[in-house]
């Protein structure tokens, strides 16, 4: 029998086997503990909300269930608007669309108007916050224009654009831009002097100072203005679409009122509130990611 034909196979020592077994037993409970902690937190956060919603729906049902009530109870809303709720992707002719398409059309207008307001607002806010001369020349004008109600701009925009869609986008723009300008300017003015001294020591040029010092320091203020702006944008588009017509959640609500479909209006308002909440959460999450948690969410 040749020795060269023998194959030596390493054998695991008792200690290594014990280590592997120990690891296998400790990994499971750790994951279970994290899942349990997450479930407990979710339950603790959702329980007050569910309790409040239950009380609200019960109160609504009790108040509006009488025959003399001019508003429908929740059960009646479900009964009368079930087709609207169950078929949000319905596609018909003209403005006869499901709620998803009305909301989608409104979101498209909001996205364009809000993006323009964010770009122009941050630029003007940076100018006003950095330059004392610009602040003296522009800030009084901004303070006067921001007090004009959003719908007051609609006739002027219709006269200028001769079309409802760009007019609505302009109303979004002119509504959302003011809080963005003001909060950006405040953030720029509140940059610590130490940051500015460091920029001078490092001899940063204007672009480097803007990218590395100005924007990071003012980002929490900027995102506060952006959150206020997205909320105002959603409010303004619903009001503007009531007047310009076409596909959109605002026109849907106005058309339902003209048709005396109060239950449809209530369903649409619930959708409007949920979408507005999600838009605010989206901007807040982006702000936390950009500012690494310094912006409030």
């Amino acid at each position: 029998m040749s020795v060269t034909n023998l194959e030596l196979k390493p054998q695991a020592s008792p200690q290594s086997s014990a280590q592997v077994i120990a690891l296998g037993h400790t990994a499971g409970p750790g994951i279970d503990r994290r899942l349990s902690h997450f479930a407990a937190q979710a339950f603790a956060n959702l329980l007050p909300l569910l309790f409040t919603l239950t009380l609200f729906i019960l109160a609504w049902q009790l108040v509006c269930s009488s025959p003399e009530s001019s508003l429908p109870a929740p059960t009646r809303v479900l009964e009368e608007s079930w087709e609207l709720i169950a078929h949000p992707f319905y596609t018909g002719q003209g403005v006869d669309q499901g709620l998803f398409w009305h909301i989608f059309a409104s979101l498209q207008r909001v996205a364009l108007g809000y993006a323009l307001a964010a770009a122009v607002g941050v630029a003007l806010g940076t100018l006003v916050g950095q330059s004392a001369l610009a602040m003296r020349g522009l800030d009084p004008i901004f303070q006067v224009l921001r007090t004009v109600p959003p719908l007051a701009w609609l006739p002027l925009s219709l006269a200028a654009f001769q079309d409802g869609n760009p007019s609505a986008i302009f109303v979004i723009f002119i509504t959302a831009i003011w809080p963005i300008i003001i909060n950006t300017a405040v953030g720029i003015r509140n940059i610590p002097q130490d940051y500015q001294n460091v920029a001078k020591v490092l001899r940063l040029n204007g672009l480097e100072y803007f990218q590395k010092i100005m924007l990071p320091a003012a980002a929490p203020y900027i995102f506060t203005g952006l959150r206020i702006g997205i909320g105002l944008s959603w409010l303004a588009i619903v009001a503007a679409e009531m007047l310009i017509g076409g596909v959109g959640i605002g026109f849907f609500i106005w058309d339902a009122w003209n048709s005396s479909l109060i239950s449809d209006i209530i369903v649409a308002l619930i959708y409007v509130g949920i979408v507005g909440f999600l838009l605010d959460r989206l901007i807040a999450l982006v702000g936390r990611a950009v500012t690494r948690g310094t912006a409030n969410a």
Side-chain angles (χ1 to χ4, degrees):
M1 182 175 180
S2 177
V3 178
T4 58
N5 293 331
L6 294 177
E7 294 182 359
L8 297 178
K9 297 182 180 180
Q11 297 181 354
S13 64
Q15 293 182 352
S16 61
S17 300
Q19 291 178 355
V20 172
I21 294 174
L23 288 175
H25 283 288
T26 57
I31 296 176
D32 292 339
R33 283 195 298 269
R34 288 194 293 269
L35 291 176
S36 301
H37 179 68
F38 176 78
Q41 281 189 330
F43 181 76
N45 292 330
L46 288 177
L47 185 60
L49 174 61
L50 295 176
F51 179 75
T52 305
L53 284 177
T54 302
L55 288 180
F56 174 77
I57 293 174
L58 288 176
W60 178 13
Q61 180 70 33
L62 291 175
V63 171
C64 298
S65 58
S66 63
E68 293 80 12
S69 177
S70 58
L71 294 176
T75 53
R76 184 180 161 192
V77 170
L78 288 175
E79 180 182 353
E80 295 179 348
S81 300
W82 179 248
E83 290 296 323
L84 181 68
I85 299 171
H87 301 92
F89 301 101
Y90 167 76
T91 302
Q93 298 294 329
V95 297
D96 183 21
Q97 307 290 333
L99 274 179
F100 172 83
W101 302 113
H102 285 284
I103 293 176
F104 182 69
S106 299
L107 285 174
Q108 285 180 310
R109 298 186 180 106
V110 167
L112 184 54
Y114 178 74
L116 292 173
V120 177
V122 170
L124 288 176
T126 301
L127 177 63
V128 171
Q130 191 178 17
S131 172
L133 181 62
M135 183 180 67
R136 288 193 295 268
L138 294 176
D139 187 67
I141 298 175
F142 294 159
Q143 297 300 330
V144 170
L145 292 180
R146 75 181 183 89
T147 61
V148 178
L151 289 184
W153 294 100
L154 188 58
L156 187 63
S157 61
L158 285 171
F161 297 108
Q162 299 294 316
D163 187 69
N165 197 54
S167 300
I169 294 172
F170 175 78
V171 170
I172 296 296
F173 169 81
I174 204 68
T175 302
I177 194 172
W178 309 122
I180 299 174
I181 291 176
I182 293 171
N183 281 275
T184 301
V186 171
I188 296 298
R189 286 197 293 266
N190 286 335
I191 294 177
Q193 186 62 42
D194 292 342
Y195 291 5
Q196 302 179 24
N197 294 336
V198 169
K200 292 178 181 178
V201 171
L202 297 177
R203 296 181 180 180
L204 300 180
N205 58 38
L207 181 60
E208 291 175 336
Y209 177 74
F210 178 78
Q211 292 178 340
K212 299 180 179 180
I213 302 294
M214 191 179 297
L215 277 184
Y221 294 90
I222 295 173
F223 276 96
T224 298
L226 291 174
R227 287 185 66 182
I228 298 173
I230 193 64
L232 293 177
S233 298
W234 191 236
L235 291 174
I237 191 58
V238 173
E241 287 175 345
M242 289 183 177
L243 300 179
I244 65 173
V247 178
I249 192 63
F251 174 76
F252 175 86
I253 293 173
W254 188 248
D255 185 61
W257 164 252
N258 291 330
S259 303
S260 300
L261 301 175
I262 305 301
S263 295
D264 287 1
I265 294 175
I266 293 175
V267 173
L269 290 179
I270 294 173
Y271 276 79
V272 168
I274 293 174
V275 171
F277 172 77
L278 293 177
L279 290 175
D280 178 78
R281 290 290 90 191
L282 177 62
I283 300 300
L285 290 175
V286 173
R288 285 184 62 85
V290 172
T291 62
R292 297 179 181 178
T294 57
N296 295 327

